[in-house]
Amino acid sequence: MAAKSFDMIVIGAGPGGYVAAIRGAQLGLNVAIVEREHMGGICLNWGCIPTKALLRSAEVYHLMHRAKEFGLSADGITYDLDAVVKRSRNVAKQLNAGVGHLMKKNKITVFMGEATLPAKGKVAVKTDKGTQELTSKAIVLATGARARELPGLEADGDLVWTYKHALQPPHMPKKLLVIGSGAIGIEFASFYNTLGADTTVVEVMDRVLPVEDAEISAFAKKSFVKQGMTIMEKAMVKQLDRAKGKVTAHIEIGGKVEKQEFDTVISAVGIVGNVEGLGLEGLGVEVDRTHVVTDAYCRTKVDGLFAIGDIAGAPWLAHKASHEGVMVAELVAGGKPHPVKPESIAGCTYCHPQVASVGLTEAKAKEAGYKIKVGRFPFIGNGKAIALGEAEGMIKTIFDEATGELLGAHMVGAEVTELIQGYVVGRQLETTEEDLMNTVFPHPTLSEMMHESVLDAYDRVIHI
């Protein structure tokens, strides 16, 4: 097949790649995108979206059990796991089709196949019809990442699962072990625990949700334990002995090794970048611990080659990938975009209760040498939270005492993944405590707690 030339070629159609392609097309570039499996990538098909659909089912199930509190009655409450999973898959399917439609609408040429980079400015795509040669002065790597597998703890799809198996479970776990308490681990722990699995979470660090502010982690842990989870911190799964229908886990904690039996294990111990098989070594691309090394504008050391999203390193978040995709497309089209600031990207975890944060934790702010002011406000002091029957939670804000800059915001409780955006916008607009204090928040809303937390940092809190 004759080589085809494009202004920009994107490899990978996840939330980084497909967004880069759309923005490039909007700017008048002739764009091609290469995808080996699913339009929308892991996020839409096997990650963010289907997990949220599952967690929504668990949330409704949990609420149904609380019907009496709300003056309602519901008897014989059960669930059909297959139907719950089917709904989740349908949600993913709908969005996958939506991305395909967006490619057509924006006149982006789609190649379904495996891409390699045989030389600078060249992409070879292995498709059903043979190998297609593509050329471009701008190539964007957006190949994402996959679950990290630890030796001896590899998934088998029956007793030991990755996130993919956990999204289409072959059985309902009775006694579940989750290895790792980052966002993925804790979301699955929350889902299966709510549906009745006896759930144990093992975390190697000294606390669950280790990237969050220590106070928020402690609050979340208390909630998880109250819901019946067993949380083991500073612990490590050394080996898994597999037998028919059961796994014996050797868990090292406090210098001793305990043996515990489970019927299902979910491994959520991080991710590794999809850097293999692309031909990066031959081009001289620098790769550090499975991630492509880039500058602030996602440029690699090879002229005209960019890397965005999970393959380019932390934070491993879909919205970071999308934003980087837009930035790179604008650079390729000759624009002067601002680089993406990792510290201005919010992290959201959809466990029960939800957790959300942006900016520096209290410990990191002190480490960076700031003299800080910290405000807190509990959900129990908020009328809307009490009316919703969601009085457990807190909002914490951290300010630079010298300038009033909002350094960080951290939340745990109902709907905080939606609330965090207020602080994200505030940080983007370089807000100070004064701006936030002078903002009139609507009543009755959960967002009023964001106001009160700021007021509390400056000893002006009203409702506690």
Side-chain angles (χ1 to χ4, degrees), residues 381-404:
N382 177 265
K384 178 75 180 289
I386 295 168
L388 286 174
E390 299 287 356
E392 275 189 33
M394 71 173 287
I395 291 181
K396 175 175 178 176
T397 43
I398 300 155
F399 292 89
D400 176 5
E401 196 178 280
T403 64

Side-chain angles (χ1 to χ4, degrees), residues 3-4 9-11 34 114-126 131-136 138-141 305:
K4 293 186 179 178
I9 300 169
V10 182
I11 302 172
V34 184
E114 292 262 359
T116 50
L117 303 172
K120 191 177 148 185
K122 290 195 170 136
V123 177
V125 187
K126 205 171 150 196
T131 300
Q132 174 70 60
E133 299 278 332
L134 313 176
T135 62
S136 179
I139 297 169
V140 183
L141 295 173
L305 183 64

Side-chain angles (χ1 to χ4, degrees), residues 387-458:
L388 286 174
E390 299 287 356
E392 275 189 33
M394 71 173 287
I395 291 181
K396 175 175 178 176
T397 43
I398 300 155
F399 292 89
D400 176 5
E401 196 178 280
T403 64
E405 180 192 350
L406 175 64
L407 297 173
H410 308 273
M411 313 175 169
V412 56
E415 299 304 335
V416 295
T417 56
E418 295 291 342
L419 293 181
I420 194 69
Q421 188 57 15
Y423 289 134
V424 175
V425 171
R427 277 172 59 82
Q428 186 63 25
L429 299 176
E430 298 181 352
T431 190
T432 63
E433 91 290 1
E434 208 176 315
D435 298 324
L436 290 167
M437 286 194 214
N438 290 333
T439 301
V440 182
F441 285 72
H443 174 80
T445 61
L446 297 175
S447 69
E448 290 173 275
M449 293 186 281
M450 296 165 65
H451 192 216
E452 295 264 19
S453 178
V454 176
L455 293 171
D456 184 54
Y458 291 85

